[in-house]
Amino acid sequence: MAFTKNKKVLNFVAESAELTQPDKIVWITGDAAQLDRLKAEAVASGELIKLNENLLPDCYLHRTKVNDVARVEDRTFICTQKKEDAGPINYWMDPRQAYELTHEIARGSMKGRTMYVIPYAMGVPGSDFAKIGIELTDSIYVVLNMNIMTRMGKQCLDALGKDGDFIKGLHAKCDVDAEKRYIMHFPEDNTIISVNSAYGGNVLLGKKCFALRIASYLGKNEGWMAEHMLILGITYPDGVKKYVAAAFPSACGKTNLAMLIPPKHYLDKGYKVECVGDDIAWIRVGDDGRLWAVNPENGFFGVAPGTNEHSNYNALQSTKRGAIFTNVALNTDDMTVWWEGLTKELPQNVIDWTGKPWNPAKFDKKDKSTYAAHPNSRFTAPAANCPCLSPEFNSLTGVPLSAIIFGGRRASTTPLVYQSRDWNHGVFIGSIMSSETTAAATGATGVLRHDPMAMKPFIGYHVGDYFKHWIEMGKKVKNPPKIFNVNWFRQDEHGNFMWPGFGDNMRVLEWILKRCDDNPVDAQETAIGYVPYPEDIDISEMDYEISEGKKFGIEDLKSILAVDKAKWAKEAEEIEAYYKNSIGSRIPKELTDSLETLKNNCAEK
Ligand code: GTP
Ligand code: SPV
Ligand code: MN
C-alpha cells in the first residue's frame, strides 16, 4: 500500500521500480512493529548481529565490505548542466551521462530484492527549516539507520500532501563493486543517486548528500546556509544561555565538542553545556537580525575509536540503546562491542571488524592494520539518548548564534584560538582552513589539505559562489555572530598534543563567549586577528601531561597562542596559490582584500 496520493512520489517510486526491478516494494511507515520485523530479517540474513540485550538493548553490529568503509570523494559528483557551476573543487559529470551511467548500473539490480520507500524529513516537520526527502533503497541497514538519523515515516508523506515537492534519492546496493561506485548529485533536479556502496555517508542520503550538498545549493538560491557544523548551548551560572556553531572537518572533533563536559570547577560554579547537533547546521536569518540554527538530523553517526567514558561520556551513553554499530569489533565474551580507546585493557576474545578473530598480542598502536575496529568505525545513535541533549533540540525556530567557530587539525602554525576582525575577515578565515585528512574518507590520512569551512567535500556548487554567499549572508544580519578559529591539535617536536582538548576546550569556549559580550575581554591584535592574552584563558585546576613528567603550564599556553609571522607569511603565499590555482576567478574581492592585509601584516618591516 502506498500511503500517499502524491503523484510525484508515486511516479518516482514507479519509475525507479521499473528501472531496478525489485521483487517487492515496501513503504516504510515508521511503525515499530514494521521496524522490528526488518531487524529480525536482517539478523536472520547475517546483515546485522544482535548484541547483548541486557547490556545493549536493541543494539546491532553491522560489518561493511572491506572495500566500503568511508566516503569516496573521488567518486562523488556534482552533476550540473554547466561544468563551471560545479566549480573547481568538485568532481563533475554531465547530468545526462551521469543518469545514463548510474541507471545502467542500477538496472535490474533489485531483482530478488525488496525496495524500501523511506519518506523522511530533515528538520522538524512543521518548521520553516524542514524539508522532505524520499529515499528508495534495497538495504535494510539503510532503513534502520535512516530511522535513527532522521524523522521518518508516514507523517512525512502527510506533510507533502497531494503535490508537495521532495528530494529524490535512489540507493541501489548492487554488488558493492568499488569500481562501479558512484554518488551522484543533481542539484538542478533535487535528485541523488548512489550505487554500489553500503557505507553511511555514501548511502544515508539525508545526511551529506541532501542536508549538505543539495541543501547548500538550495540555501544559496533561497538565502540560507547548510553547513558542516555542530551546535551547542552553554548555560551560565546566572541562567543565561548562549549558542555557538562550529565547523571542523570530518573526524576533527565536532561530536566531541558538541557533547563536552566542562572541567569540575566550571560544573561546581553551575556552567552547563548542551548539545543541539554534532554534524550539520541549517542556518537562517531571524526577524531579530541574528542567525538562527537548527540541526536537521535526529541522531548521531559518530566516530567510535577514541570514544570512552572520559573522552566523551555523553556520546558513549547515547550508544547504549537502539544503536547500530558499523565496523567496530565484537567482544564475544558478552556480545558487546569494542574499539581502540574504549578501554585501556585489550579484551581477549574479540572478532575484528572484518569478521576474523583478533590477536591482542599483535596490537601495535602505530600500525592501524593491527586494530580490531576500523579507524572510521562508527555508531548510529538516537539523539534522544544523549544525556546532554538540549531542550531546544526539537525547536521549530532553532537557536540564535553568538559565535561561529572554524577549526582544523593543524600540527603547527595555527594558534589555539583567534578571532576575526569582522564578518568578512571571518569568512576569509573559514576559506583558508587547512586540515590533515582523516579516515572518514578513503585515501591517505594525515595529509594537510585545504578544507574551506570544513565543506570541501560537501559544497553542492561552485566554491567561489559559496564564499560569495557567505559574504552576502553577512550583509543580511544586523547582529552577526562573531567568528573564531580554533586548533586543538598543535603538536610538540615529539608529536604529542600540546593542548588537552575534549572537556578542557570549555576554557577556550569561555574566552570566545566573553569576546561576544557587550564589554568584551581585551585581546591582542596580531597579524592574523585577535588572540587572547594568556592570562585570560583559565588554566586553573588543569591536570594535563603533555608527555611523561611534563605538565601543561602557562609557558605551554603562551607557545600555542603565539603567532609566528614568518610561518604565516609562508601560509599566506600558499593561500594565494590556493586561491589562484584551486578557486579561480570567482573568488570574492572581500577575500582577496583580506589576503592582502594578511600578507602586509606578515611582511618583514
Ligand atoms: P565527523 O562525524 O566525521 O564529521 O567527525 P567529528 O568532527 O564529529 O569528529 P569527532 O568528534 O568524532 O572526533 C574525531 C576524532 O578526533 C576522535 O578520534 C577524537 O578522539 C578526536 N578528538 C576530538 N576532540 C579532540 C580534542 O579536543 N583533542 C584531541 N587531541 N583529539 C580530539
Ligand atoms: C563525515 O565524514 O564528515 C561524517 C561521516 O560525518 S559520513 O556520514 O560518512 O559523511
Ligand atoms: Mn561529518
Side-chain angles (χ1 to χ4, degrees), residues 549-566:
K550 184 173 185 318
K551 283 240 156 103
F552 186 91
I554 187 79
E555 289 309 315
D556 300 297
L557 180 62
K558 280 183 186 158
S559 93
I560 57 177
L561 286 175
V563 175
D564 181 332
K565 270 209 216 171

Side-chain angles (χ1 to χ4, degrees), residues 13 29 32 95 112 140 170 181 189 197 213 215 232 243 306 382 459 485 505 591:
V13 174
T29 58
I140 295 180
L170 172 62
R181 183 169 300 149
D189 306 343
S197 175
R213 297 193 191 96
L232 65 79
Y243 296 91
I459 304 169
N485 193 90
N505 293 333
L591 302 191

Side-chain angles (χ1 to χ4, degrees), residues 207-208 212 228 248-251 254 278-279 378 458:
K207 195 171 175 57
K208 296 300 164 54
L212 287 181
H228 193 203
F248 308 156
S250 302
K254 289 183 299 302
D278 83 324
D279 198 47
R378 293 199 175 237
F458 309 121

Side-chain angles (χ1 to χ4, degrees), residues 129 218-227 282-286 289-292 404 423-424 427 461 465-481 483:
F129 283 92
L218 294 172
K220 180 200 53 157
N221 293 332
E222 298 170 3
W224 54 284
M225 304 164 93
E227 298 297 330
W282 283 1
I283 303 173
R284 286 175 181 267
V285 183
R290 290 191 289 177
L291 285 181
W292 289 69
I404 286 177
W423 176 270
N424 286 351
V427 177
Y461 58 102
D465 294 346
Y466 170 78
F467 292 161
K468 184 92 201 147
H469 183 49
W470 265 85
I471 301 281
E472 291 304 317
M473 288 297 293
K475 293 183 189 155
K476 287 193 203 173
V477 276
K478 273 202 314 285
N479 299 306
I483 301 182

Side-chain angles (χ1 to χ4, degrees), residues 228 250-256 279 378 409 488-489 501-502 505:
H228 193 203
S250 302
C252 289
K254 289 183 299 302
T255 304
N256 278 273
D279 198 47
R378 293 199 175 237
R409 204 177 263 274
W488 314 140
F489 299 94
F502 302 98
N505 293 333

Side-chain angles (χ1 to χ4, degrees), residues 62-70 173-178 181 196-199 326-327 353-354 374:
H62 172 76
R63 299 188 188 113
T64 66
K65 275 200 170 182
V66 295
N67 76 16
D68 188 32
V69 294
K173 198 171 159 181
C174 304
D175 305 318
V176 198
D177 178 347
R181 183 169 300 149
N196 273 300
S197 175
Y199 164 76
T326 301
N327 292 338
W353 70 274
T354 69
H374 188 274

